[in-house]
Amino acid sequence: MSEDSITKFKSFNFSESADWQKYVGNILITSRTTTLEKVKRKWYKKHIDQDFDIEFDTKEAAYAEERQRVHDQARAGGNPYVNPAYRGLSKFMMAAVHIQGILW
């Protein structure tokens, strides 16, 4: 999906679209803004631009978040690709093996 598609979606005037007003008037939407945004994206993809990626900013945010996590982890001297939950477990296992070696 191109930047042009994203720009067109962001500049689309939903309040002046009769088709959108008819559609949104017939569905029940909770008060959550994210829900309305998701409905807008799905409607826009179906009725305006079939190539529009409804997850465009979600993917960008997830990618940026992962890059930041890897960067922070690397700066801290750890392996950024090891699940933090396993990091504690591996330290525990190493200590257990060390203690077992002392006891035997």
Side-chain angles (χ1 to χ4, degrees), residues 1-10 44-45 49-57 59-60:
M1 185 175 77
S2 68
E3 287 293 321
D4 190 42
S5 284
I6 296 169
T7 304
K8 286 179 181 178
F9 169 75
K10 289 181 177 181
Y44 185 84
K45 179 179 180 84
D49 181 1
Q50 286 76 32
D51 295 327
F52 181 69
D53 180 6
I54 62 173
E55 303 279 331
F56 70 90
D57 60 348
K59 291 175 185 173
E60 291 171 7

Side-chain angles (χ1 to χ4, degrees), residues 64-89:
E65 192 176 293
E66 177 64 13
R67 282 188 52 201
Q68 185 63 45
R69 186 190 69 77
V70 168
H71 177 73
D72 292 346
Q73 201 69 52
R75 289 187 77 199
N79 182 346
Y81 301 103
V82 174
N83 184 330
Y86 296 134
R87 228 177 265 124
L89 180 61

